Each structure stands twice: as C-alpha cells, then as structure tokens.
C-alpha cells in the first residue's frame, strides 16, 4: 500500500480525547515489547513515527496517527509488563476498554503475538477479551526473523491452536526488521477499511 502521509495526531489519556470523526481505526494491541511501534513504523515506512524502545511499557497512552487523511492507526499501550503494579494494570484495562468501546464498530484490531515466544496466557486472555467486543481481529506474529524459515509454519500453527483461532486463520508472520509480511498484513487491513 502506498502511503502519502502519516501524521501523529495526539496521545490520548482519556475517553474525551479519542477521535469522533467516523474515520475507520486500526488498533495495534499486544504484550509490552512485542514490537507494536516497530511494526507500525514499518507498515507506514516512517522510521521514527511511533516511538520504539527496548524498555517494556514505554507507550502508556493511546497514540493516534492519521494516515492519508483517511483512517487512524492507534498504538495501544502494551499489556503485561512485569514491573506494573495493580493500579497501573487497572489503568491499562480501563484505557483500552474505553478506547475499544468508543472506536467500535468500525474499528479493527491487529493483535500482535511474538512469533518466537508464541502465544502466552496473557495473549489468550487478550484475544478472548477482544472477541467479546466482536471486534474483527487479525493476528500478526512479530519478530518472525528470529525463526528459521523451515520452522515458520509449525510456529504459526501452534499460535493458532493456542489462541483457538478458526481453522485456516493462521497468524501472519511479520518482521519490522526485514519487512516480511508487510504486503500480506496491508492486504488484510485494507480489506477492513
Ligand atoms: P511497548 O510500547 O513498550 O509496549 O513496546 P512495543 O510493542 O511498541 O515494542 P517496540 O516496537 O518498541 O519494540 C520492542 C523491542 O523489540 C525493540 O528492542 C525492537 O528493536 C525489537 N523488535 C521490534 N520488532 C522487531 C522485529 O521484527 N525483529 C526483531 N528481531 N526485533 C524487533
Ligand atoms: Mg510501543
């Protein structure tokens, strides 16, 4: 997909800051450090747009980007960073829940799972939680460059089984490092816009 413009709009901390203009939204959700910001930058071909970090839990608000003036990308805070206390986790859940309640219908979710680590119990919880909103969810398996080509298919099947994805709905292996899977993920995202 050819992107002409991608601009940071705002970092939303509360419901009244979420966009209400009816443009479709694509929310990126996943464990902290799974590679959300890196993947968004790669999809948009903009190196420093979404801030990436090797310190988990960097993104604490919903960062919104307007793409080609047509739709939004939403970088949601990562879940499950080890140092988070109870209050912080609760704030995460409240923020994500109010964002989703607000953005749906018309929003789609890209759930990111680490291809190398596989789907964790928290990923399973997140997937079930997203399904309870009836949100269309695409699963992308990040950091696919860490898995040898010959082991890819098995890893994807394993993630599909663990998350109990429908038959045939294998996750899309992607890598922000090599650019693998960007075309396929864009195709899926575009279909839902
Ligand atoms: P939070 O905002 O903290 O939740 O993290 P995030 O999910 O946005 O992750 P981020 O994009 O900041 O990346 C986390 C770490 O993973 C960084 O050290 C990245 O360099 C690394 N990383 C991201 N994508 C890839 C990838 O495709 N391959 C490899 N090998 N490393 C990656
Ligand atoms: Mg991030």
């Amino acid at each position: 997909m050819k992107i002409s413009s991608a601009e940071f709009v705002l970092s939303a901390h509360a419901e009244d800051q979420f966009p209400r203009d009816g443009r479709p939204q694509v929310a990126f959700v996943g464990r902290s450090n799974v590679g959300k910001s890196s993947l968004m930058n790669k999809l948009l071909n903009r190196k420093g747009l979404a801030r990436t970090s090797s310190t988990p839990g960097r993104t604490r608000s919903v960062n919104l980007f307007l793409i080609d003036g047509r739709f939004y990308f939403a970088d949601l805070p990562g879940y499950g960073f080890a140092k988070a206390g109870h209050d912080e986790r609760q704030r995460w859940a409240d923020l994500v829940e109010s964002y989703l309640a607000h953005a749906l219908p018309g929003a789609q979710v890209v759930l990111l799972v680490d291809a190398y680590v596989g789907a964790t119990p928290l990923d399973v919880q997140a997937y079930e939680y997203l399904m309870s909103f009836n949100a269309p969810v695409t699963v992308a398996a990040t950091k696919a460059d860490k898995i040898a080509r010959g082991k890819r298919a098995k890893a994807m099947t394993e993630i599909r089984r663990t998350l109990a994805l429908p038959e045939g709905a294998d996750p899309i292996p992607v890598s922000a490092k090599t650019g693998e899977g960007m075309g396929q993920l864009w195709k899926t995202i575009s279909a839902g816009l």
Side-chain angles (χ1 to χ4, degrees), residues 38 42 142-147 149 152 173-182:
S38 303
K42 194 70 186 173
T142 61
K143 311 189 188 183
D145 55 276
K146 288 185 168 183
I147 305 185
R149 291 242 162 219
R152 257 345 131 64
V174 296
S175 167
K177 205 168 171 179
T178 65
E180 177 186 348
M182 296 304 127

Side-chain angles (χ1 to χ4, degrees), residues 112-136:
L112 276 58
V113 173
D114 191 310
Y116 189 72
V117 174
T120 68
L122 279 175
D123 294 328
V124 175
Q125 261 182 37
Y127 180 70
E128 284 170 357
Y129 177 69
L130 293 166
M131 293 312 282
S132 74
F133 282 94
N134 287 322

Side-chain angles (χ1 to χ4, degrees), residues 18-182:
F18 298 142
R20 297 162 190 274
D21 54 19
R23 290 181 175 106
Q25 305 196 28
V26 186
F28 292 79
V29 186
R31 220 163 31 76
S32 187
N33 214 39
V34 75
K36 290 176 296 298
S37 303
S38 303
L39 178 66
M40 293 171 73
N41 286 335
K42 194 70 186 173
L43 279 170
L44 298 170
N45 213 0
R46 303 286 193 285
K47 274 210 169 96
L49 192 66
R51 287 172 74 189
T52 61
S53 159
S54 53
T55 315
R58 179 80 180 244
T59 314
R60 300 287 169 91
S61 45
V62 178
N63 289 320
L64 291 149
F65 303 89
L66 182 61
I67 319 303
D68 282 349
R70 233 169 29 90
F71 57 92
Y72 291 100
F73 266 15
D75 189 2
L76 267 59
Y79 51 81
F81 42 96
K83 283 187 193 143
H86 176 266
D87 287 359
E88 184 134 26
R89 278 201 297 270
Q90 190 57 50
R91 273 203 300 278
W92 178 89
D94 290 348
L95 185 69
V96 172
E97 182 159 354
S98 76
Y99 166 78
L100 284 175
H102 192 267
L104 292 166
Q108 53 173 312
V109 177
V110 180
L111 175 66
L112 276 58
V113 173
D114 191 310
Y116 189 72
V117 174
T120 68
L122 279 175
D123 294 328
V124 175
Q125 261 182 37
Y127 180 70
E128 284 170 357
Y129 177 69
L130 293 166
M131 293 312 282
S132 74
F133 282 94
N134 287 322
V137 178
T138 301
V139 178
T142 61
K143 311 189 188 183
D145 55 276
K146 288 185 168 183
I147 305 185
R149 291 242 162 219
K151 293 185 176 160
R152 257 345 131 64
K154 189 164 176 277
M156 295 307 112
T157 306
E158 197 53 42
I159 292 172
R160 172 167 63 72
R161 284 216 190 101
T162 310
L163 292 179
L165 301 179
E167 196 70 35
D170 274 3
I172 302 173
V174 296
S175 167
K177 205 168 171 179
T178 65
E180 177 186 348
M182 296 304 127

